[in-house]
Amino acid sequence: MPGVVDGRSRKRHLPGVLREDSDDELGTEDLPWEWIYANEPDTEENNGRKRKRATWQDGQIIGARNGNFECYLGDTMLLKADSSNEAWVGIICEFQEDEEGEMAANFMWFSSPNEIRSAKKRTDYVENELYITTSFDVNALSTINGKAHVMSQQAFMNEFPTGKVPRKSKEYGKVFVCRRGCNTRTCTYTEEFIWEDIYHGREDLEALQERLQKETKATRKKKPAKDESPERDYKFEADPEADGEYAPGVYRTPKKARIRDAVTPSSRHKKTGNKPATPSSHRRIVVKKHLEFTPLATRVLSPMHVHASPYQVARTQLHVASVPTSLPCRESEFSLVYSHLEAAITDGSGTCIYISGTPGTGKTATVREVVSHLDAAVRADELDDFIFVEINGMKITDPHQSYALLWEALKGQRVSPAQALDLLEREFSHPSPRRVPCVVLMDELDQLVTKNQGVMYNFFNWPGLRHSRLIVLAVANTMDLPERTLSNKISSRLGLTRITFPGYNHEQLMRIVQSRLEGVPGDIVDPDAIQFAARKVAAVSGDARRALDICRRAVELAEADAKVNDLSDDATPNTPTKTPARKKDESPQKKKKSSSGRVTIETVRRAINEATSNPLQQYLRSLPFASKLLLTALCLRIQRTGLAESTFGDVLEEMQRMLKLTVNESRPLKLLEKRATGQKGEGADDGTGLMITKGKQTGQLIRPAGLGSAAVDLTGAGIINLEGQRPERPSKMRLAVGDEEVRLAFRDDPEIKGVGVML
Ligand SMILES: Nc1ncnc2c1ncn2[C@@H]1O[C@H](COP(=O)(O)OP(=O)(O)OP(=O)(O)O)[C@@H](O)[C@H]1O
């Protein structure tokens, strides 16, 4: 049976106990199981039982037999785990057929202390100790490996005075101590009990369940306070020195992220009694433990921050790598993602949420914020525990590594991608006791899309499997990536929940930048300057990252001005004076001095110019027309498909579409023709390497030529990656620079503007 390790002769390892397999009980032959019914003719084996258990009704399945091995309702069994080295212990509560029609039983599980992930787990456990839990699961009888013997500590010590079961004993690996019950989701325990007093067999099952329910907490979920909102009154501060340290495929927040009290909480921010959720300082892959947070009490201001100038503080807070205090303009998206995740974690169900939006619209930031809040809820005992793992398509070289990363997050084991896939398939399609929900953030999903779309399909499909408890948050730039890559039929079957993040308008970008500047002393940034930057960015993209970058650069420029000022005039104060506060009698020269050192519209203009005149921008602008056309077509292709990788042939087709559209829409085709032909007549080359011929009958442009050499040149310059030495139609092709760089460079290019609909 899939999902069950069938190696009966293999040695297994119980948590804390190395044990031989139970071949002695089940034998080495693979005999079929058969039911034992209550009205079965008396046999030597069941006779006594039948008489003792008068409550059994005729025809009821009371046990199962495998050769000479028999087990009955209420018996405590050893089971084989499918993927790990552990064996499980559970009490048979009911016999039944499972979903696949296999003979199975519903087990009430024991849990070993090792399996309890919560920070609140007890530390006073003894060797071989198990807790009886409130978790049930149906498992096939073929997973039964023998019988377990559970007893009180006293009984155990009487039988094994050394406190250990001798290795040579037949009981080795089969004897356990139980003195408490535990709800493993809420990590709450019952009072200590004597096992022999509370459990003798099947007739005590109900009372045992009642005791567990009464004495442990079933769920942690509490309704969040009404005024709870994603905006809170605390700030995070990334240590710039710690920047840039990333593990492949896995996002890592800056190493020494710290928190400090908000300096000026905005009037909208109401203080709630709740402890703020904070992003992890080492949130890499969290393997069976809590996201790691620095406790509030130990969060300190860095000495750098205390002595920092207003410019330094502003630069740090505007940095895209710093975790913002709040996410203005994303309140509804936050609530949507939060409520979906919270519900899935509480119900123990799987779900897949597909989040799309253009770059810099706060998708990743919002998801991380939600996860931080959920983790805080876990720690405040309001939510059941969960595992979180982040897989970033940009940071793994092969999409199949996602499988290995997920498996590592679930089990803490490193295996190859192929092994991981196999293990995950088994894990999610079979019941298992005590599975903690796992939240997976799949960022930059388009990068993970392989040729056969297997990786994306699996991650979308697994949440729907009954036993997976997998919650996938897939983040991509295009809305219809699933439909494009998986077909409409499959993607509608998957039942994804979709959330779209719209681009920010200039007012929203202003609020975002302003919120990042909250608490910066010295009033060094003109509100007009922020508005100017926000308008410029919103006109092109609605990308918060770009707005923040421009404003940060403007602060750097103002800081440099202030330094020059300081050198030329020692009397100039370190913190620049606010422009309107100038004295009336100041000379024009003085006026100039006091405004330099302050971020004004002019400073922002300089920052924007710089951003558009870096060497890459200059290079892109100076490219021959053929190269520009090819890059434009590649960008359009990426934009349309949402996939980073295309083939040379795909890009040529995209160009055809683009040029036809230009003709149909009477775009400045004249200019294009003129540029292509140099007005020397049809089909002439103007020296750019591009030749455009007209279709004889239609008069439409159908065959741009000279693009092969453009592709080779662009590859040589590191602007694109192209498979193979020479471009063939199937050669794979992708951008090696950001598409926004290309967009920015060609935005005002009169020729490209005519053909590139995106620009
Ligand atoms: N509403 C917001 N408030 C404050 N900062 C924001 C907001 N939205 C985005 N940002 C900041 O903008 C930057 C980009 O955001 P983020 O990475 O979340 O965007 P994204 O939509 O995931 O982009 P991409 O698709 O390129 O990955 C980050 O520094 C983030 O903190």
Side-chain angles (χ1 to χ4, degrees):
M1 183 195 131
V4 173
V5 176
D6 221 35
R8 286 192 178 165
S9 55
R10 252 187 269 161
K11 285 193 177 177
R12 306 218 138 261
H13 176 238
L14 271 175
V17 192
L18 192 73
R19 58 176 294 274
E20 296 291 333
D21 208 341
S22 308
D23 296 340
D24 50 339
E25 287 182 65
L26 279 143
T28 44
E29 274 179 75
D30 251 339
L31 296 170
W33 281 89
E34 53 190 62
W35 295 128
I36 301 173
Y37 296 95
N39 63 350
E40 220 173 84
D42 283 357
T43 62
E44 214 175 295
E45 287 83 19
N46 71 9
N47 198 11
R49 287 175 186 272
K50 265 188 82 178
R51 249 180 281 128
K52 251 195 276 167
R53 306 189 182 182
T55 50
W56 285 339
Q57 296 156 5
D58 276 2
Q60 186 190 348
I61 303 171
I62 55 164
R65 184 183 296 121
N66 184 293
N68 288 330
F69 181 86
E70 282 182 0
C71 54
Y72 289 87
L73 289 172
D75 285 356
T76 308
M77 312 304 296
L78 278 170
L79 288 96
K80 293 174 273 192
D82 52 357
S83 51
S84 63
N85 276 341
E86 298 160 14
W88 305 329
V89 180
I91 301 178
I92 302 175
C93 298
E94 197 188 353
F95 287 103
Q96 61 186 86
E97 286 191 352
D98 69 11
E99 286 169 330
E100 287 150 27
E102 248 185 281
M103 290 168 75
N106 193 12
F107 291 88
M108 181 179 187
W109 295 116
F110 287 86
S111 171
S112 77
N114 296 346
E115 290 163 303
I116 296 170
R117 301 173 58 234
S118 169
K120 292 191 313 179
K121 80 185 228 178
R122 301 187 72 93
T123 52
D124 63 351
Y125 50 88
V126 293
E127 200 166 305
N128 293 4
E129 180 161 348
L130 296 178
Y131 305 112
I132 180 71
T133 76
T134 46
S135 314
F136 292 83
D137 238 329
V138 175
N139 274 262
L141 297 187
S142 50
T143 60
I144 290 179
N145 214 17
K147 287 201 181 152
H149 307 296
V150 173
M151 54 185 75
S152 65
Q153 201 181 357
Q154 292 91 316
F156 184 82
M157 291 309 286
N158 288 344
E159 213 166 308
F160 305 100
T162 59
K164 283 187 191 277
V165 183
R167 267 177 182 271
K168 285 190 183 141
S169 162
K170 275 197 121 190
E171 294 289 279
Y172 182 72
K174 299 178 185 176
V175 186
F176 303 92
V177 167
C178 180
R179 48 186 182 146
R180 279 196 184 86
C182 175
N183 183 321
T184 48
R185 293 182 77 185
T186 55
C187 197
T188 45
Y189 299 84
T190 63
E191 290 291 312
E192 198 167 331
F193 47 63
I194 306 284
W195 183 251
E196 291 77 18
D197 289 350
I198 65 159
Y199 191 75
H200 305 92
R202 176 187 170 260
E203 44 284 338
D204 294 325
L205 264 178
E206 257 174 53
L208 179 62
Q209 284 171 34
E210 268 171 33
R211 173 189 285 264
L212 291 175
Q213 265 154 22
K214 220 165 70 196
E215 293 188 27
T216 64
K217 258 207 267 178
T219 176
R220 292 175 178 171
K221 200 187 161 208
K222 254 199 254 161
K223 261 202 166 312
K226 260 191 187 158
D227 60 349
E228 217 174 19
S229 89
E231 300 192 20
R232 296 168 320 284
D233 298 341
Y234 46 89
K235 284 187 186 292
F236 303 100
E237 177 196 329
D239 185 338
E241 292 158 42
D243 249 348
E245 198 182 316
Y246 295 99
V250 185
Y251 169 84
R252 184 184 282 188
T253 46
K255 236 189 193 166
K256 296 176 222 159
R258 296 180 199 98
I259 187 168
R260 66 184 178 80
D261 290 335
V263 184
T264 45
S266 93
S267 54
R268 298 184 64 249
H269 300 185
K270 271 197 219 145
K271 271 212 160 102
T272 66
N274 289 351
K275 286 257 165 66
T278 63
S280 152
S281 51
H282 287 272
R283 199 201 303 147
R284 196 178 158 233
I285 291 182
V286 182
V287 181
K288 293 210 161 204
K289 59 182 176 180
H290 270 286
L291 304 182
E292 288 171 18
F293 288 79
T294 312
L296 281 177
T298 61
R299 286 170 200 262
V300 286
L301 281 172
S302 73
M304 182 213 107
H305 200 277
V306 173
H307 303 295
S309 74
Y311 301 107
Q312 280 168 311
V313 180
R315 274 195 281 113
T316 308
Q317 289 181 196
L318 288 170
H319 200 291
V320 288
S322 83
V323 184
T325 329
S326 61
L327 291 172
C329 316
R330 281 293 171 247
E331 290 83 358
S332 56
E333 289 81 1
F334 176 95
S335 301
L336 260 177
V337 179
Y338 188 95
S339 54
H340 273 103
L341 286 199
E342 189 196 39
I345 292 170
T346 308
D347 301 348
S349 57
T351 189
C352 185
I353 302 173
Y354 182 76
I355 297 175
S356 61
T358 51
T361 47
K363 302 181 294 295
T364 311
T366 304
V367 169
R368 288 202 185 124
E369 185 74 350
V370 166
V371 172
S372 295
H373 266 62
L374 291 171
D375 192 64
V378 172
R379 293 186 306 133
D381 249 5
E382 292 164 6
L383 186 71
D384 298 335
D385 212 350
F386 67 95
I387 296 170
F388 174 63
V389 56
E390 190 167 331
I391 299 171
N392 189 317
M394 288 287 259
K395 291 171 191 159
I396 48 177
T397 44
D398 171 10
H400 296 96
Q401 285 169 358
S402 321
Y403 300 138
L405 290 170
L406 178 58
W407 185 253
E408 187 175 356
L410 290 177
K411 303 284 175 179
Q413 298 164 346
R414 283 173 190 247
V415 294
S416 73
Q419 275 175 306
L421 175 60
D422 195 36
L423 292 165
L424 287 165
E425 290 275 0
R426 290 208 244 166
E427 176 85 0
F428 295 147
S429 51
H430 289 89
S432 127
R434 311 174 289 275
R435 189 171 292 148
V436 176
C438 179
V439 177
V440 190
L441 166 57
M442 306 212 63
D443 214 346
E444 314 279 358
L445 186 73
D446 30 10
Q447 305 285 331
L448 289 171
V449 178
T450 43
K451 242 189 159 179
N452 63 11
Q453 284 84 46
V455 173
M456 188 165 80
Y457 174 78
N458 280 329
F459 275 88
F460 284 4
N461 190 43
W462 285 330
L465 301 180
R466 211 163 66 87
H467 307 290
S468 76
R469 290 184 188 155
L470 188 68
I471 301 162
V472 171
L473 292 160
V475 176
N477 288 340
T478 37
M479 245 164 109
D480 52 357
L481 188 65
E483 284 72 19
R484 280 183 195 289
T485 49
L486 293 178
S487 88
N488 279 329
K489 204 171 147 211
I490 295 182
S491 53
S492 59
R493 176 179 68 73
L494 293 172
L496 309 172
T497 300
R498 288 163 195 272
I499 301 176
T500 308
F501 281 50
Y504 295 114
N505 61 29
H506 85 268
E507 278 157 356
Q508 291 175 320
L509 288 174
M510 265 180 80
R511 274 184 61 199
I512 290 168
V513 174
Q514 274 159 353
S515 78
R516 294 267 196 151
L517 287 172
E518 261 173 28
V520 175
D523 191 20
I524 53 169
V525 185
D526 254 356
D528 283 356
I530 301 176
Q531 190 182 78
F532 182 70
R535 280 187 188 278
K536 282 282 174 191
V537 173
V540 185
S541 62
D543 177 346
R545 192 181 286 116
R546 186 156 283 276
L548 292 168
D549 278 343
I550 287 173
C551 292
R552 193 169 59 94
R553 181 62 192 142
V555 170
E556 280 172 359
L557 293 173
E559 185 179 19
D561 290 350
K563 278 194 185 135
V564 172
N565 248 14
D566 272 356
L567 285 178
S568 63
D569 183 358
D570 280 345
T572 308
N574 194 19
T575 306
T577 334
K578 206 177 165 186
T579 318
R582 276 195 315 267
K583 282 189 197 134
K584 272 183 194 156
D585 59 344
E586 267 179 347
S587 66
Q589 207 187 347
K590 264 232 162 127
K591 194 168 145 186
K592 200 174 164 219
K593 257 190 188 172
S594 58
S595 71
S596 71
R598 199 173 152 68
V599 177
T600 61
I601 290 181
E602 199 38 49
T603 334
V604 170
R605 210 191 297 277
R606 273 165 62 202
I608 293 174
N609 283 345
E610 239 185 42
T612 53
S613 62
N614 63 35
L616 175 60
Q617 286 292 317
Q618 283 170 4
Y619 177 81
L620 290 172
R621 288 213 185 98
S622 68
L623 281 173
F625 186 58
S627 304
K628 285 185 185 171
L629 209 53
L630 189 71
L631 277 179
T632 307
L634 178 56
C635 285
L636 280 177
R637 177 87 196 162
I638 293 169
Q639 187 173 297
R640 214 163 54 76
T641 60
L643 300 177
E645 197 166 86
S646 314
T647 64
F648 187 62
D650 290 338
V651 177
L652 293 185
E653 270 164 36
E654 191 66 43
M655 187 176 302
Q656 294 265 356
R657 276 171 54 101
M658 183 172 102
L659 294 176
K660 276 184 187 159
L661 205 70
T662 310
V663 175
N664 293 343
E665 293 188 1
S666 317
R667 295 209 177 204
L669 180 62
K670 287 259 156 49
L671 181 65
L672 183 68
E673 274 184 79
K674 196 173 134 201
R675 186 84 173 91
T677 62
Q679 283 184 324
K680 288 177 213 155
E682 191 177 298
D685 187 343
D686 69 342
T688 60
L690 178 74
M691 190 169 72
I692 295 180
T693 51
K694 274 187 173 178
K696 287 238 156 61
Q697 280 142 27
T698 60
Q700 289 186 350
L701 294 165
I702 54 161
R703 193 169 58 81
L707 295 161
S709 55
V712 172
D713 291 348
L714 287 171
T715 310
I719 307 294
I720 60 170
N721 291 328
L722 186 75
E723 196 182 57
Q725 298 286 317
R726 287 160 75 243
E728 311 279 349
R729 284 190 82 87
S731 313
K732 286 192 187 131
M733 190 173 168
R734 58 162 70 208
L735 268 181
V737 297
D739 59 347
E740 70 284 353
E741 291 284 358
V742 179
R743 210 169 299 172
L744 191 67
F746 298 166
R747 200 176 70 211
D748 299 321
D749 190 306
E751 297 158 341
I752 293 301
K753 227 177 171 176
V755 281
V757 255
M758 64 153 189
L759 298 169

